[in-house]
Amino acid sequence: MSTFKAPKGTYDLTPPDSAKYLAVREAISAPLKNSGYGYIETPGFEDVALFSRGVGESTDIVSKEMYTLTTKGGSELALRPEGTASVLRAALEANLHKLGNLPVKLWYSGSYYRYERPQKGRYRHFSQVGAEAIGAEDPALDAELIILADQAYRTLGLQNFRILLNSLGDKECRPVYRDALQEFLRELDLDEDTRRRIDLNPLRVLDDKRPEVQKQLVGAPVLRDYLCDACKAYHEEVRDLLTAAGVVYEDDEKLVRGLDYYTRTTFEFVHDGLGSQSAVGGGGRYDGLSEMIGGPALPSVGWALGVDRTVLALEAEGIELELPSSTSVFAVPLGEEARRVLFAKVTELRRAGVAADFAFGGRGLKGAMKSANRSGARFTVVAGERDLAEGVVQLKDMESGEQQAVALDALVAEVQQKLA
Ligand code: ATP
Ligand code: MG
């Protein structure tokens, strides 16, 4: 223990658990890399206005959860609370949309920051893998993204997740619905805060988790009845494509999501083993966002999956990922000369592509063998003075317990052959 602890609402990833997080990031990004998505990385902070305009002043993320700071130079910045606005900003700045190759498909992986009330599955620093497809209005693109997220979760072995799907309409039909909903909500018995929300972002009231609010929402106008023909047809096509791909989803008329920029398709992945932090990921179409941040019209769609909650979901289902041991050979020298010889062998093994590690710190045989065991290495190589005098090392197979003397010069080839 030092004097310091990780800040409230944060936690460290340390071995061996950290390997699980890497594996989850890899599992989520693999289907994207395999589907034409290029990797993008953006700064951890941005001009605060990018989020207030892009994500929306009326959202919890911007109004309550953002970490903002003023730099010594007087710039107003915010630690990024989400990825989409930054990725779109970066794509526009690099003119990726002008290269004549739409949609621009991008994936990212990184840390996000929200000043939240910490609880299980809800942290102030968390990590997401996300995907954005920028500049095309095509229901197949919405379907592609949902299918790829589904594939990612399935390859991890997850089963108890559900996909909730809705359409939020577009700039034609949503305002009409919004008016009707506001009229309905104004008649209800609601607190001050929620009343204000009716004016700012009435759809969000539907998302209120409190039973006393939910009770009053029975009979509220539903967006589906207000969708224009174009939105209806678009949504039908997304649904058909998902069904054809064998992806099971649930229509959820109340699904509105916390960000202002969504239009048409919205979806959320929820996991039933996570209690109240049940959303493992979410996304949707955001046709108006580019213009909101000063860009051209670029209809787009994307999602972000939470790595932390995905790991919790794996734990909730009792899934142990098969993580191959990262070390294949562990070298244990006995004595000073052996230390030099085996250290050189370890270097040689590594250069030959064999994952190898070494008993550092000159501890005795017992301690070194403990490290060898803990490393999960398939083989240990032990050598003392007598072995070296004979030009051999002792190669021990940790699975079978068999041990044999191998000529020093033949060690690398022998190990490679055994591992193949
Ligand atoms: P919630 O409703 O639980 O607050 P959200 O709608 O704010 O979630 P998004 O903005 O859609 O979440 O972010 C996508 C994913 O990122 C979430 O589904 C979740 O897995 C993860 N996530 C969001 N906020 C947090 C957080 N504070 N801690 C851990 N993971 C988070
Ligand atoms: Mg949230």
Side-chain angles (χ1 to χ4, degrees):
M1 269 283 250
S2 79
T3 322
F4 300 103
K5 282 186 167 176
K8 183 174 175 189
T10 71
Y11 63 102
D12 304 305
L13 295 182
T14 53
D17 278 1
S18 50
K20 236 188 312 191
Y21 285 76
L22 277 184
V24 165
R25 289 194 189 109
E26 173 57 26
I28 298 175
S29 53
L32 298 168
K33 293 184 219 169
N34 203 22
S35 308
Y37 289 75
Y39 179 64
I40 185 167
E41 201 165 310
T42 65
F45 48 80
E46 296 272 355
D47 190 331
V48 69
L50 172 69
F51 300 118
S52 44
R53 258 198 264 165
V55 180
E57 297 277 10
S58 71
T59 61
D60 284 352
I61 292 181
V62 168
S63 64
K64 298 184 196 149
E65 298 170 2
M66 213 150 54
Y67 281 92
T68 54
L69 62 126
T70 309
T71 65
K72 290 187 181 68
S75 308
E76 300 288 336
L77 302 178
L79 301 187
R80 58 183 182 189
E82 60 100 46
T84 303
S86 312
V87 167
L88 188 55
R89 194 265 315 135
L92 291 171
E93 194 169 330
N95 281 319
L96 299 184
H97 60 297
K98 289 189 183 157
L99 302 177
N101 202 11
L102 295 177
V104 177
K105 301 208 288 186
L106 302 166
W107 77 273
Y108 58 87
S109 172
S111 294
Y112 296 85
Y113 307 86
R114 295 184 193 176
Y115 191 73
E116 304 217 53
R117 197 165 68 75
Q119 43 200 300
K120 188 168 186 192
R122 189 175 296 288
Y123 311 106
R124 292 181 172 177
H125 164 264
F126 58 98
S127 125
Q128 292 183 337
V129 175
E132 315 290 349
I134 297 163
E137 190 186 81
D138 183 341
L141 203 51
D142 306 41
E144 168 177 286
L145 278 162
I146 296 171
I147 292 166
L148 293 176
D150 178 78
Q151 186 183 331
Y153 280 152
R154 299 221 172 271
T155 52
L156 283 167
L158 288 169
Q159 289 182 329
N160 305 338
F161 68 88
R162 292 177 291 131
I163 302 171
L164 310 180
L165 184 68
N166 194 20
S167 171
L168 292 183
D170 62 8
K171 57 179 186 296
E172 301 301 318
C173 52
R174 180 124 123 237
V176 183
Y177 172 68
R178 192 184 144 105
D179 287 347
L181 183 63
Q182 281 177 325
E183 206 169 299
F184 175 88
L185 294 174
R186 288 201 178 104
E187 300 301 314
L188 305 183
D189 176 24
L190 298 165
D191 60 274
E192 226 10 66
D193 248 15
T194 313
R195 296 210 147 270
R196 214 167 309 125
R197 192 169 283 167
I198 297 177
D199 296 321
L200 286 171
N201 195 344
L203 270 69
R204 294 277 329 283
V205 179
L206 298 178
D207 209 16
D208 202 309
K209 303 278 183 315
R210 292 171 296 178
E212 67 271 24
V213 176
Q214 280 302 325
K215 228 183 319 173
Q216 297 189 67
L217 292 175
V218 177
V222 287
L223 189 46
R224 192 182 46 195
D225 300 334
Y226 288 78
L227 289 185
C228 61
D229 288 342
C231 282
K232 251 187 231 163
Y234 194 96
H235 196 51
E236 269 318 299
E237 180 67 11
V238 173
R239 295 170 80 249
D240 287 349
L241 289 167
L242 291 178
T243 305
V247 171
V248 180
Y249 59 87
E250 296 170 22
D251 293 307
D252 181 354
E253 270 138 35
K254 292 223 172 88
L255 180 70
V256 291
R257 312 244 329 116
L259 294 78
D260 274 359
Y261 51 59
Y262 286 114
T263 50
R264 289 195 170 166
T265 314
T266 39
F267 50 88
E268 205 158 87
F269 286 74
V270 294
H271 192 276
D272 293 325
L274 295 186
S276 45
Q277 270 61 253
S278 62
V280 284
R285 184 155 272 286
Y286 49 92
D287 292 344
L289 178 58
S290 176
E291 288 158 293
M292 279 158 74
I293 63 169
L298 281 173
S300 306
V301 57
W303 52 241
L305 305 187
V307 175
D308 312 74
R309 288 188 196 170
T310 302
V311 170
L312 290 173
L314 288 170
E315 285 164 8
E317 289 197 36
I319 297 169
E320 293 281 348
L321 297 178
E322 272 181 46
L323 302 174
S325 152
S326 49
T327 304
S328 300
V329 178
F330 197 96
V332 177
L334 304 173
E336 197 47 32
E337 194 198 344
R339 194 176 71 91
R340 245 167 296 164
V341 172
L342 284 195
F343 186 70
K345 277 293 156 199
V346 163
T347 301
E348 204 184 322
L349 281 163
R350 290 171 177 169
R351 286 180 179 154
V354 177
D357 203 356
F358 184 74
F360 291 98
R363 293 180 304 150
L365 178 62
K366 212 169 137 200
M369 286 312 287
K370 225 186 236 173
S371 302
N373 270 322
R374 203 168 298 153
S375 77
R378 173 72 196 278
F379 298 101
T380 51
V381 173
V382 184
E385 256 169 60
R386 200 182 314 151
D387 298 307
L388 295 182
E390 291 170 19
V392 299
V393 295
Q394 302 299 326
L395 181 64
K396 183 173 178 187
D397 185 329
M398 301 297 273
E399 264 172 32
S400 65
E402 266 168 55
Q403 186 169 315
Q404 67 183 112
V406 174
L408 202 51
D409 293 341
L411 178 67
V412 175
E414 180 75 22
V415 165
Q416 277 179 317
Q417 196 204 329
K418 284 187 188 290
L419 285 170

